[in-house]
Amino acid sequence: EGYDSAAVYLQKALTNADNKIDRARWRFLLGQLYELTGSYEKASVCYKKAAKGTVDPLLDIYAHLNKAKMLRNDRDKKQLDENISKLLKMSKQDKFETYRDIIFHSIGLLNLKKLDTASAVKNFERSLTCNTNNTVYKSRTHLELGKIAYIQKLYMKAADHYDSVDVTITQFNKDSSEIADRKSALRKI
Protein backbone atom coordinates (compact mmCIF):
# COMPACT_ATOMS: atom_id res chain seq x y z
CA GLU A 1 0.00 0.00 0.00
CA GLY A 2 2.86 2.36 -0.71
CA TYR A 3 0.83 4.35 -3.21
CA ASP A 4 2.95 7.51 -2.88
CA SER A 5 6.21 5.85 -3.76
CA ALA A 6 4.59 3.68 -6.45
CA ALA A 7 3.26 6.88 -8.05
CA VAL A 8 6.71 8.48 -8.01
CA TYR A 9 8.31 5.50 -9.76
CA LEU A 10 5.49 5.08 -12.25
CA GLN A 11 5.72 8.79 -13.13
CA LYS A 12 9.45 8.35 -13.81
CA ALA A 13 8.78 5.22 -15.88
CA LEU A 14 6.33 6.95 -18.25
CA THR A 15 9.15 7.93 -20.60
CA ASN A 16 10.10 4.24 -20.90
CA ALA A 17 6.71 3.12 -22.19
CA ASP A 18 7.10 1.14 -25.39
CA ASN A 19 4.17 2.74 -27.17
CA LYS A 20 1.24 5.14 -26.89
CA ILE A 21 -1.11 2.41 -25.64
CA ASP A 22 1.18 1.47 -22.75
CA ARG A 23 1.72 5.13 -21.87
CA ALA A 24 -2.05 5.74 -21.73
CA ARG A 25 -2.56 2.65 -19.55
CA TRP A 26 0.26 3.69 -17.21
CA ARG A 27 -1.20 7.20 -16.95
CA PHE A 28 -4.54 5.67 -15.97
CA LEU A 29 -2.81 3.58 -13.31
CA LEU A 30 -0.93 6.66 -12.13
CA GLY A 31 -4.26 8.47 -11.83
CA GLN A 32 -5.57 5.62 -9.68
CA LEU A 33 -2.52 5.85 -7.43
CA TYR A 34 -2.93 9.62 -7.05
CA GLU A 35 -6.62 9.08 -6.30
CA LEU A 36 -5.73 6.61 -3.52
CA THR A 37 -3.37 9.17 -1.98
CA GLY A 38 -5.96 11.97 -2.15
CA SER A 39 -4.11 13.95 -4.84
CA TYR A 40 -7.26 14.55 -6.86
CA GLU A 41 -5.87 17.34 -9.06
CA LYS A 42 -2.96 15.16 -10.19
CA ALA A 43 -5.29 12.20 -10.66
CA SER A 44 -7.60 14.28 -12.83
CA VAL A 45 -4.69 15.36 -15.05
CA CYS A 46 -3.55 11.75 -15.45
CA TYR A 47 -7.04 10.53 -16.34
CA LYS A 48 -7.39 13.32 -18.89
CA LYS A 49 -4.06 12.42 -20.52
CA ALA A 50 -4.98 8.72 -20.48
CA ALA A 51 -8.25 9.47 -22.27
CA LYS A 52 -6.47 11.55 -24.91
CA GLY A 53 -3.75 8.97 -25.49
CA THR A 54 -5.71 5.75 -25.64
CA VAL A 55 -7.18 3.79 -28.51
CA ASP A 56 -8.86 1.33 -26.13
CA PRO A 57 -12.56 2.26 -25.92
CA LEU A 58 -12.99 0.84 -22.41
CA LEU A 59 -10.00 2.75 -21.05
CA ASP A 60 -11.39 5.90 -22.67
CA ILE A 61 -14.75 5.46 -20.91
CA TYR A 62 -13.23 4.75 -17.51
CA ALA A 63 -10.73 7.60 -17.84
CA HIS A 64 -13.59 10.06 -18.39
CA LEU A 65 -15.62 8.57 -15.55
CA ASN A 66 -12.71 8.62 -13.12
CA LYS A 67 -11.76 12.15 -14.16
CA ALA A 68 -15.29 13.24 -13.31
CA LYS A 69 -15.10 11.49 -9.93
CA MET A 70 -12.14 13.75 -9.05
CA LEU A 71 -14.29 16.88 -9.16
CA ARG A 72 -14.67 18.26 -5.69
CA ASN A 73 -16.50 21.61 -5.67
CA ASP A 74 -19.22 23.64 -7.37
CA ARG A 75 -16.95 25.21 -9.98
CA ASP A 76 -16.37 21.68 -11.23
CA LYS A 77 -20.02 21.29 -12.32
CA LYS A 78 -19.09 22.69 -15.72
CA GLN A 79 -16.41 20.02 -16.06
CA LEU A 80 -18.91 17.39 -14.91
CA ASP A 81 -21.26 18.53 -17.68
CA GLU A 82 -18.37 18.37 -20.16
CA ASN A 83 -17.61 14.78 -19.14
CA ILE A 84 -21.27 13.82 -19.51
CA SER A 85 -21.31 15.48 -22.93
CA LYS A 86 -18.15 13.61 -23.97
CA LEU A 87 -19.63 10.28 -22.85
CA LEU A 88 -22.87 11.03 -24.74
CA LYS A 89 -20.84 11.71 -27.90
CA MET A 90 -19.00 8.43 -27.36
CA SER A 91 -22.31 6.57 -27.10
CA LYS A 92 -23.18 7.68 -30.63
CA GLN A 93 -19.95 6.40 -32.19
CA ASP A 94 -19.90 2.95 -33.76
CA LYS A 95 -16.64 1.92 -32.11
CA PHE A 96 -18.30 2.27 -28.68
CA GLU A 97 -21.46 0.34 -29.64
CA THR A 98 -20.62 -2.71 -27.52
CA TYR A 99 -19.87 -0.48 -24.53
CA ARG A 100 -23.03 1.63 -24.57
CA ASP A 101 -24.35 -0.10 -21.46
CA ILE A 102 -21.21 0.96 -19.56
CA ILE A 103 -21.34 4.46 -21.02
CA PHE A 104 -24.97 5.06 -20.01
CA HIS A 105 -24.34 3.53 -16.59
CA SER A 106 -21.40 5.93 -16.18
CA ILE A 107 -23.51 8.88 -17.27
CA GLY A 108 -26.14 7.84 -14.72
CA LEU A 109 -23.51 7.85 -11.97
CA LEU A 110 -22.37 11.31 -13.04
CA ASN A 111 -26.00 12.50 -13.03
CA LEU A 112 -26.27 11.29 -9.44
CA LYS A 113 -23.14 13.27 -8.62
CA LYS A 114 -24.96 16.34 -10.02
CA LEU A 115 -28.02 15.40 -7.89
CA ASP A 116 -30.05 15.00 -11.10
CA THR A 117 -31.98 11.85 -10.23
CA ALA A 118 -34.40 12.04 -13.16
CA SER A 119 -31.57 12.07 -15.71
CA ALA A 120 -29.78 9.35 -13.77
CA VAL A 121 -32.82 7.07 -13.95
CA LYS A 122 -33.18 7.77 -17.68
CA ASN A 123 -29.55 6.89 -18.36
CA PHE A 124 -29.61 3.80 -16.14
CA GLU A 125 -32.67 2.61 -18.07
CA ARG A 126 -30.83 3.27 -21.35
CA SER A 127 -27.97 1.19 -19.97
CA LEU A 128 -30.33 -1.72 -19.37
CA THR A 129 -31.77 -1.35 -22.89
CA CYS A 130 -28.30 -1.46 -24.46
CA ASN A 131 -27.08 -4.32 -22.29
CA THR A 132 -27.08 -7.60 -24.14
CA ASN A 133 -24.96 -9.93 -22.01
CA ASN A 134 -22.97 -7.93 -19.46
CA THR A 135 -24.41 -9.36 -16.24
CA VAL A 136 -22.11 -7.32 -14.01
CA TYR A 137 -23.30 -3.98 -15.39
CA LYS A 138 -26.87 -5.18 -15.58
CA SER A 139 -26.73 -5.96 -11.85
CA ARG A 140 -24.93 -2.71 -11.04
CA THR A 141 -27.57 -0.76 -12.93
CA HIS A 142 -30.46 -2.59 -11.25
CA LEU A 143 -28.83 -1.89 -7.88
CA GLU A 144 -28.59 1.84 -8.60
CA LEU A 145 -32.19 1.96 -9.85
CA GLY A 146 -33.28 -0.03 -6.79
CA LYS A 147 -31.58 2.42 -4.45
CA ILE A 148 -33.21 5.38 -6.18
CA ALA A 149 -36.67 3.78 -6.14
CA TYR A 150 -36.23 2.82 -2.48
CA ILE A 151 -35.32 6.40 -1.51
CA GLN A 152 -38.29 7.68 -3.51
CA LYS A 153 -40.53 5.19 -1.67
CA LEU A 154 -41.44 3.45 -4.94
CA TYR A 155 -41.27 0.09 -3.22
CA MET A 156 -42.73 -2.11 -5.99
CA LYS A 157 -40.24 -0.73 -8.48
CA ALA A 158 -37.42 -1.03 -5.92
CA ALA A 159 -38.36 -4.67 -5.28
CA ASP A 160 -38.20 -5.45 -9.00
CA HIS A 161 -34.75 -3.92 -9.32
CA TYR A 162 -33.36 -5.53 -6.16
CA ASP A 163 -34.66 -8.91 -7.36
CA SER A 164 -32.70 -8.43 -10.58
CA VAL A 165 -29.38 -7.92 -8.78
CA ASP A 166 -27.13 -10.98 -9.01
CA VAL A 167 -25.57 -11.04 -5.54
CA THR A 168 -23.27 -13.92 -6.50
CA ILE A 169 -21.09 -11.41 -8.35
CA THR A 170 -18.08 -10.74 -6.11
CA GLN A 171 -18.38 -6.97 -6.56
CA PHE A 172 -21.52 -7.06 -4.42
CA ASN A 173 -19.96 -8.83 -1.42
CA LYS A 174 -19.82 -5.66 0.68
CA ASP A 175 -23.43 -4.75 -0.24
CA SER A 176 -24.87 -8.27 -0.03
CA SER A 177 -26.32 -7.93 3.49
CA GLU A 178 -27.97 -4.59 2.65
CA ILE A 179 -29.34 -6.04 -0.58
CA ALA A 180 -30.69 -9.11 1.23
CA ASP A 181 -32.27 -6.95 3.97
CA ARG A 182 -33.95 -4.68 1.44
CA LYS A 183 -35.15 -7.59 -0.68
CA SER A 184 -36.75 -9.17 2.38
CA ALA A 185 -38.38 -5.93 3.54
CA LEU A 186 -39.59 -5.07 0.05
CA ARG A 187 -41.23 -8.49 -0.38
CA LYS A 188 -43.24 -7.86 2.79
CA ILE A 189 -44.30 -4.40 1.61
Side-chain angles (χ1 to χ4, degrees):
E1 294 181 15
Y3 306 124
D4 292 340
S5 57
V8 168
Y9 289 110
L10 186 55
Q11 179 69 47
K12 289 179 182 179
L14 280 174
T15 57
N16 295 326
D18 291 334
N19 53 47
K20 187 177 178 180
I21 296 168
D22 285 346
R23 193 173 306 111
R25 179 70 184 137
W26 291 5
R27 282 201 168 109
F28 185 85
L29 293 171
L30 186 58
Q32 289 178 314
L33 290 170
Y34 284 137
E35 183 178 349
L36 288 169
T37 63
S39 302
Y40 301 117
E41 294 282 331
K42 288 181 179 179
S44 182
V45 168
C46 288
Y47 289 136
K48 183 177 182 177
K49 287 181 178 179
K52 279 186 178 179
T54 189
V55 293
D56 177 6
L58 209 50
L59 183 63
D60 199 2
I61 294 166
Y62 282 113
H64 281 93
L65 177 62
N66 286 4
K67 181 177 172 279
K69 285 186 343 188
M70 298 302 100
L71 305 176
R72 295 285 177 235
N73 56 44
D74 288 341
R75 73 170 170 69
D76 294 330
K77 285 187 179 178
K78 181 180 175 192
Q79 289 179 9
L80 194 56
D81 288 334
E82 288 172 9
N83 282 315
I84 290 171
S85 176
K86 174 66 176 166
L87 287 167
L88 282 170
K89 285 179 187 172
M90 291 167 78
S91 73
K92 295 173 184 165
Q93 296 175 6
D94 289 340
K95 72 177 181 176
F96 293 107
E97 182 177 1
T98 57
Y99 303 108
R100 286 185 180 138
D101 58 333
I102 297 171
I103 292 171
F104 288 121
H105 179 86
S106 300
I107 294 169
L109 292 176
L110 296 178
N111 290 140
L112 287 177
K113 192 171 176 75
K114 284 179 51 178
L115 305 176
D116 184 359
T117 308
S119 293
V121 168
K122 181 179 122 189
N123 284 298
F124 286 137
E125 288 172 349
R126 288 174 82 183
S127 174
L128 289 175
T129 303
C130 295
N131 195 322
T132 55
N133 61 358
N134 189 339
T135 56
V136 172
Y137 269 89
K138 190 171 277 193
S139 286
R140 281 181 175 184
T141 303
H142 278 296
L143 181 59
E144 291 299 330
L145 286 168
K147 288 177 183 179
I148 292 168
Y150 188 85
I151 289 168
Q152 294 176 340
K153 297 181 172 51
L154 301 170
Y155 298 121
M156 296 281 285
K157 192 180 264 191
D160 289 343
H161 288 299
Y162 275 105
D163 280 341
S164 298
V165 175
D166 182 358
V167 291
T168 62
I169 297 171
T170 57
Q171 294 175 348
F172 297 115
N173 284 347
K174 65 179 181 176
D175 297 324
S176 62
S177 63
E178 179 184 316
I179 293 169
D181 290 344
R182 285 196 177 171
K183 274 185 178 183
S184 174
L186 289 167
R187 280 190 195 114
K188 290 176 185 173
I189 293 173

